[in-house]
């Protein structure tokens, strides 16, 4: 594998095969956790712990998405402020939902966290509409956000 650290071009490029493969590999942990939650439903403590693990994973990914939006904002010559402000929202939402989860248990905060992941598609669509996202962006983001969002919601519902 060749690591290219050269300067990016002005055009947003295209989603490559490696990024696509790594993205879809990122759905393996939530798939495994939901399967384990379904398998251990007779043990509420274990299901709750597994759902919390998935909440943490989804929180990391949600914050990562905010970081990607931040990088898109920094490429803008004008209008950085709105997208930059929106880019910090996932981290703030994540912190609030994880605090809620610590107090109330993983079921409803997990559902809210999964819903937040689904809502990221609105920002991704905007980035495509403005020509800032690379070609194939929604082809990657749609299944990944739907997958992680729905699996996180399912974990919260199953663990409840």
């Amino acid at each position: 594998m060749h690591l290219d650290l050269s300067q990016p071009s002005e055009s947003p490029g295209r989603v490559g095969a490696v990024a696509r493969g790594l993205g879809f590999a990122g759905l393996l942990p939530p798939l495994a956790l939901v399967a384990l939650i379904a398998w251990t439903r007779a043990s509420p403590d274990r299901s709750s712990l597994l759902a919390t693990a998935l909440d943490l994973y989804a929180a990391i990914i949600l914050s990562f998405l905010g970081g990607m939006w931040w990088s898109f904002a920094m490429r803008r010559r004008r209008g950085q402020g709105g997208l930059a402000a929106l880019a910090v929202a996932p981290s703030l939402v994540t912190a609030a939902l994880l605090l809620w989860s610590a107090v109330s248990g993983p079921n409803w905060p997990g559902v809210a966290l999964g819903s937040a992941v689904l809502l990221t598609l609105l920002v991704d669509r905007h980035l495509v509409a403005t020509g800032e996202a690379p070609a194939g962006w929604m082809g990657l983001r749609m299944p990944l956000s739907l997958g992680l969002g729905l699996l996180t919601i399912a974990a919260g519902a199953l663990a409840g």
Side-chain angles (χ1 to χ4, degrees):
M1 181 167 92
H2 173 69
L3 183 60
D4 183 8
L5 298 176
S6 61
Q7 293 293 323
S9 64
E10 286 298 313
S11 71
R14 168 171 289 290
V15 172
V18 172
R20 183 172 295 285
L22 291 171
F24 281 101
L27 289 176
L28 296 175
L31 279 168
L33 286 166
V34 168
L36 286 170
I37 291 166
W39 187 51
T40 62
R41 281 194 74 193
S43 172
D45 288 343
R46 189 164 296 161
S47 292
S48 180
L49 180 64
L50 292 166
T52 298
L54 182 47
D55 287 352
L56 290 172
Y57 183 81
I60 290 167
I61 298 301
L62 189 58
S63 292
F64 176 78
L65 291 172
M68 289 193 315
W69 299 343
W70 182 270
S71 69
F72 283 119
M74 295 304 107
R75 290 182 53 108
R76 289 182 169 182
R77 289 194 170 92
R78 289 177 295 208
Q80 275 188 3
L83 185 55
L86 191 58
V88 299
S91 295
L92 298 174
V93 166
T94 292
L97 291 174
L98 289 177
L99 285 172
W100 182 20
S101 181
V103 171
S104 69
N107 58 340
W108 290 114
V111 170
L113 190 57
S115 299
V117 170
L118 294 174
L119 288 172
T120 64
L121 290 170
L122 298 173
V123 177
D124 288 326
R125 282 183 48 104
H126 172 75
L127 293 168
V128 168
T130 60
E132 296 173 80
W137 185 253
M138 288 308 292
L140 177 66
R141 294 301 323 131
M142 184 73 76
L144 295 183
S145 291
L146 286 174
L148 180 59
L150 294 174
L151 287 166
T152 306
I153 290 168
L158 285 171

